[in-house]
Amino acid sequence: MTTSRIRIFLCGATAAVAGLMLTWNTTVGNIMYLIVYATLCAFAWLAVRSVPPGPDRRPWLLAAVTQTLWLTGDVIELVYFYLSSVPPVGLADAFWLAGYPLLAVALTMMARRRAPGRLRGAVLDGLTLTVAAALASWQYLIMPYLGSGLSLAETIVPPLYPVADVVLLAAILFIALSPGDRGVPTRLLLGAVVLYLTIDIAYNVLPLFLDYAVVARIGPLIMLGNAMITATCLHERRAELTSPGQRVGMLHPARVLFLGLALLTTPALSLFQDHAVAGMVATVLSTAFVLTRFSLAVREQERTQAQLAYQARHDPLTGLANRAALTDELERRDGPVAVLYLDLDGFKEVNDTYGHDAGDLVLATVAERLSSAVRATDLVVRLGGDEFVLFCPNLPEAEAIRLAERVLGDVARPVPFHGETLDIGVSVGIAAYGPDAGHDVLRNADMAMYEAKKQGRGRWVMAGS
């Protein structure tokens, strides 16, 4: 679906949900509730069928199963309502609770697929925020039930909902904090899960201020979240949630702010609680996540700097040293050196006849052959185009000549290309100087190379001879 059709679908779902909230807890309202919920579930399964079979379909399948489980729980509760009485804890809770981990798994699968190999930072930041939320849930939502004196089931089951919310929060944070595109589908999905979490928090907090009959009317809003997830699956750009994204993750200032607030949660809550063990566990976990995140960020920065430094001194096609690296070597040299300046013969003809792919293959092959011909202490340089330099410290003149002759033979070997053979040659200019020579060694070798070209190519010339 296009964005405009998605908007129409969501407007219809919003109108239906608003009507259900107004008719809540009436027979007509309950019948319409089931009809609307079943219709949205049907749309969810139709949306799943629109996704081609494979890994991309699995998260949406889990999301549809989640909605069906929640609908089943509502049906069971309505059966209790009309046939007997609704128990505080019952079979419906099993279906409602079962949906949370399935949706969390679906979100985690999306995060892994949209940011393969780039999810560690998002996971650590998400877990840091989740620990803060878990500590707040423990103190304000779980602990009151544990000391309420209710039956075992009534003591255990209600706190499972905040636990499920924490799990769902962690999963959605993995997507929200991961690198990747942030189009309409992603925003719809984030909005749906935020709506789920807001409704669950409202169910726990609003009864402190409002009559529960009023609070219960927010129940149909769950279906609006379901409609948003279904709309996400139906959207024409839904692939941004299950395919590697092009956007590079950036550390937004708001992200730093939320992480700072998460770290302050433990000491802030410790002022209002007596459960030191929970606070200590939360502190240890948050600190571990932050330190790990910091270590990863430092290592990533070091790798980036090393890569930039390498790229600044190396040719991207051949991997050889570039002109900047050669300039540094020329400035640092303090002893005898031989410089061989090479220019390929016939390279332009290869490029014009067979294309740039053939030219790149020739350059890479020549680079390998030159690297094999020199000593470990020598430097092989690509200056650009089809020009190379061999910088050979402490290489006597006679050895430089033998090296040039070896290079002439190695470079002239045919290069296979798509069933063809590419024939090239090389002209070599040699400049050999003692430790007291000036800084013109490269220019002299270049001039000698041009002299070799004039003499017929495929030969070497010694500068000054």
Side-chain angles (χ1 to χ4, degrees):
M1 283 188 182
T2 61
T3 301
S4 59
R5 291 185 177 182
I6 293 295
R7 189 178 293 113
I8 295 173
F9 173 75
L10 290 177
C11 286
T14 302
V17 169
L20 294 175
M21 293 176 68
L22 293 174
T23 59
W24 178 255
N25 207 28
T26 66
T27 300
V28 174
N30 290 337
I31 294 174
M32 293 303 300
Y33 181 91
L34 293 179
I35 293 174
V36 173
Y37 210 148
T39 301
L40 288 174
C41 283
F43 270 108
W45 286 103
L46 289 174
V48 171
R49 290 191 60 184
S50 70
V51 182
D56 287 352
R57 177 188 279 188
R58 293 169 192 164
W60 305 115
L61 179 62
L62 292 176
V65 172
T66 296
Q67 297 181 37
T68 305
L69 287 173
W70 288 345
L71 171 60
T72 305
D74 287 350
V75 170
I76 292 173
E77 187 171 71
L78 283 175
V79 170
Y80 275 121
F81 178 78
Y82 283 105
L83 297 184
S84 58
S85 61
V86 178
V89 174
L91 181 60
D93 292 283
F95 286 91
W96 291 329
L97 287 170
Y100 286 88
L102 291 181
L103 185 56
V105 170
L107 297 174
T108 304
M109 292 171 64
M110 292 179 187
R112 293 185 61 185
R113 292 187 62 79
R114 72 190 259 115
R118 298 176 294 160
L119 199 58
R120 287 184 298 179
V123 169
L124 290 170
D125 290 349
L127 291 178
T128 302
L129 295 170
T130 302
V131 166
L135 182 60
S137 296
W138 171 262
Q139 179 171 340
Y140 296 112
L141 303 179
I142 297 177
M143 284 302 300
Y145 276 99
L146 298 182
S148 62
L150 299 173
S151 66
L152 181 62
E154 293 178 63
T155 301
I156 294 177
V157 174
L160 291 179
Y161 286 95
V163 172
D165 285 335
V166 168
V167 172
L168 193 58
L169 174 64
I172 196 59
L173 285 174
F174 296 160
I175 292 181
L177 301 177
S178 65
D181 298 329
R182 295 287 190 272
V184 172
T186 301
R187 294 197 294 270
L188 281 174
L189 183 66
L190 295 176
V193 178
V194 168
L195 180 59
Y196 291 149
L197 297 175
T198 302
I199 293 170
D200 284 354
I201 293 174
Y203 269 127
N204 286 277
V205 176
L206 291 183
L208 301 176
F209 309 98
L210 300 173
D211 185 86
Y212 187 76
V214 176
V215 177
R217 289 181 179 271
I218 69 174
L221 287 174
I222 291 289
M223 285 189 286
L224 183 57
N226 294 347
M228 294 171 69
I229 290 183
T230 300
T232 304
C233 185
L234 290 171
H235 200 282
E236 60 186 356
R237 296 199 303 272
R238 63 171 174 252
E240 73 177 41
L241 284 162
T242 54
S243 302
Q246 300 299 320
R247 179 177 171 182
V248 178
M250 303 294 290
L251 194 60
H252 194 277
R255 186 165 174 173
V256 178
L257 174 62
F258 286 129
L259 289 173
L261 293 175
L263 291 176
L264 291 174
T265 299
T266 299
L269 292 180
S270 65
L271 299 175
F272 307 99
Q273 64 157 329
D274 299 324
H275 306 287
V277 174
M280 180 61 68
V281 171
T283 301
V284 171
L285 289 175
S286 298
T287 303
F289 293 143
V290 170
L291 289 178
T292 304
R293 179 73 162 98
F294 176 76
S295 299
L296 291 176
V298 170
R299 291 178 183 176
E300 182 64 27
Q301 185 180 33
E302 291 174 346
R303 284 194 295 267
T304 300
Q305 290 177 344
Q307 184 179 10
L308 291 175
Y310 179 86
Q311 292 173 348
R313 296 175 57 83
H314 290 80
D315 174 60
L317 174 63
T318 63
L320 299 178
N322 60 13
R323 186 182 293 272
L326 176 62
T327 300
D328 290 343
E329 290 295 329
L330 288 171
E331 291 176 351
R332 285 201 302 263
R333 73 181 183 90
D334 56 0
V337 63
V339 173
L340 281 67
Y341 202 115
L342 290 70
D343 186 88
L344 300 183
D345 300 328
F347 179 75
K348 184 178 184 302
E349 290 78 3
V350 168
N351 248 344
D352 293 342
T353 303
Y354 298 99
H356 291 291
D357 288 344
D360 290 346
L361 175 63
V362 167
L363 294 174
T365 302
V366 169
E368 293 177 1
R369 293 175 180 178
L370 294 178
S371 298
S372 300
V374 300
R375 306 167 300 176
T377 56
D378 299 335
L379 182 68
V380 183
V381 181
R382 183 191 174 201
L383 291 181
D386 59 346
E387 295 183 336
F388 297 83
V389 167
L390 305 182
F391 181 86
C392 308
N394 301 313
L395 185 70
E397 183 175 316
E399 293 293 330
I401 294 174
R402 281 194 284 272
L403 174 60
E405 292 174 343
R406 184 163 63 251
V407 165
L408 291 175
D410 290 346
V411 173
R413 297 202 308 270
V415 178
F417 177 75
H418 295 172
E420 303 283 345
T421 55
L422 308 178
D423 296 316
I424 56 171
V426 64
S427 298
V428 183
I430 308 172
Y433 288 87
D436 299 327
H439 292 280
D440 295 332
V441 58
L442 184 62
R443 183 172 63 84
N444 293 338
D446 185 18
M447 294 174 60
M449 180 273 296
Y450 277 107
E451 183 62 30
K453 290 275 190 185
K454 291 179 183 178
Q455 294 182 15
R457 302 186 176 185
R459 64 184 66 220
W460 60 267
V461 168
M462 176 68 68
S465 60

